């Protein structure tokens, strides 16, 4: 079964860090890049960036470099989103997905809710 | 960056209605245009890719058309399960971008 399974929800205080994981199964891990998408409460989908699962090279959308880092552990077929110096406005659901839509392959994680609150 | 502008932002419709959502890109996306449906608390679901290709398992009442910078998603006969938010998405250039969404309401 082709799927991405994300880590559980997190509650963090401002200034803290968090690392969200996204584990792939059911397909060759390096076949597709992994993109990260943010959805703030009541808002639309925002593309954060993408990581090449062959090279590990990340590409970040404007506004998502610096505090946001994408990484991989190919040995366990897992992608990571690490966020540092968290702010209340980082409160959102974070989705990972394969970059395969234009091949008719639709694989999304279930989403990880990150709440930043004092 | 390629800006994707959807219209309308919301639409009120009834079961059986024909619904059309448009998406305009700020530059040519070379047909790398997809449509997603999202329901509350769920991940987006791919409906259409490469402008007009119907994703496996998606009912044929959904269709996509367009080229260049102007695209359309049509639901030919709205069903109760179609009340959701719809997004267009381009993957022609980094950064990939989404439209702001169109909420289809009863």
């Amino acid at each position: 079964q082709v799927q991405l399974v994300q880590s559980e929800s997190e509650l963090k205080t401002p200034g803290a860090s968090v690392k969200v994981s996204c584990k792939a199964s059911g397909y060759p891990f390096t076949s597709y890049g992994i993109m990260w998408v943010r959805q703030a409460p009541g808002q639309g989908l925002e593309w954060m960036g993408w990581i090449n699962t062959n090279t590990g090279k990340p590409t970040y959308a404007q506004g998502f470099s610096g505090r946001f880092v994408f990484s991989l552990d190919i040995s366990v077929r897992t992608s990571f989103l690490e966020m540092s110096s968290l702010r209340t406005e980082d409160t959102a659901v974070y989705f990972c997905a394969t970059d395969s839509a234009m091949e008719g392959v639709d694989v999304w994680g279930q989403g990880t809710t990150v709440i930043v609150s004092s | 960056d390629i800006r994707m502008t959807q219209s309308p932002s919301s639409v009120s419709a009834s079961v059986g209605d024909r619904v059309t959502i448009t998406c305009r890109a700020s530059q040519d996306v070379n047909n790398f245009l997809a449509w997603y449906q999202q329901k509350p608390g769920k991940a987006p679901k791919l409906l259409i890719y490469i402008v007009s290709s119907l994703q496996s398992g998606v009912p044929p009442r959904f269709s996509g058309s367009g080229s260049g910078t102007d695209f359309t998603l049509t639901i030919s006969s709205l069903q109760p399960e179609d009340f959701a938010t719809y997004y267009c998405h381009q993957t022609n250039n980094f950064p990939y971008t989404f439209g702001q969404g169109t909420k289809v309401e009863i």
Side-chain angles (χ1 to χ4, degrees):
Chain A
Q1 181 183 1
V2 177
Q3 61 179 357
L4 295 173
V5 177
Q6 296 184 228
S7 49
E8 296 297 314
S9 299
E10 302 265 10
L11 173 60
K12 295 292 182 180
T13 54
S17 297
V18 68
K19 195 169 186 177
V20 176
S21 66
C22 170
K23 185 174 178 62
S25 61
Y27 72 95
F29 183 63
T30 56
S31 292
Y32 308 114
I34 295 290
M35 64 180 186
W36 291 90
V37 176
R38 182 169 79 175
Q39 188 166 40
Q43 302 300 306
L45 304 172
E46 187 174 17
W47 191 82
M48 301 173 65
W50 172 89
I51 187 163
N52 185 318
T53 53
N54 284 289
T55 65
K57 180 183 176 185
T59 298
Y60 299 99
Q62 194 168 10
F64 290 104
S65 58
R67 296 192 301 118
F68 299 83
V69 177
F70 307 145
S71 61
L72 301 172
D73 185 338
I74 294 177
S75 67
V76 291
R77 304 168 57 86
T78 301
S79 305
F80 299 95
L81 163 63
E82 186 165 17
M83 299 180 280
S84 59
S85 302
L86 286 167
R87 305 167 182 168
T88 55
E89 55 264 38
D90 295 323
T91 294
V93 178
Y94 292 83
F95 293 100
C96 62
T98 56
D99 177 22
S100 55
M102 301 307 165
E103 300 174 51
V105 177
D106 185 32
V107 189
W108 287 71
Q110 79 276 22
T112 296
T113 299
V114 176
I115 297 173
V116 184
S117 174
S118 54
Chain B
D1 297 7
I2 299 177
R3 182 177 178 85
M4 308 297 287
T5 304
Q6 288 182 231
S7 62
S9 297
S10 65
V11 57
S12 295
S14 300
V15 172
D17 284 354
R18 181 182 183 89
V19 172
T20 298
I21 299 168
T22 64
C23 177
R24 173 163 288 176
S26 60
Q27 59 186 270
D28 193 333
V29 297
N30 291 310
N31 291 343
F32 288 104
L33 189 285
W35 289 96
Y36 286 93
Q37 176 194 68
Q38 189 183 31
K39 296 182 178 179
K42 299 293 187 181
K45 173 187 172 184
L46 182 67
L47 300 176
I48 302 285
Y49 62 101
I50 309 289
V51 178
S52 59
S53 295
L54 191 67
Q55 172 68 354
S56 176
V58 174
R61 63 180 179 272
F62 291 93
S63 64
S65 63
S67 65
T69 61
D70 293 305
F71 305 94
T72 299
L73 173 70
T74 300
I75 310 171
S76 60
S77 177
L78 200 65
Q79 298 302 299
E81 60 268 30
D82 301 337
F83 291 96
T85 301
Y86 294 84
Y87 296 92
C88 60
H89 175 52
Q90 69 81 20
T91 64
N92 183 54
N93 284 337
F94 281 153
Y96 295 172
T97 44
F98 290 94
Q100 80 278 17
T102 295
K103 187 173 185 179
V104 177
E105 303 175 291
I106 300 173

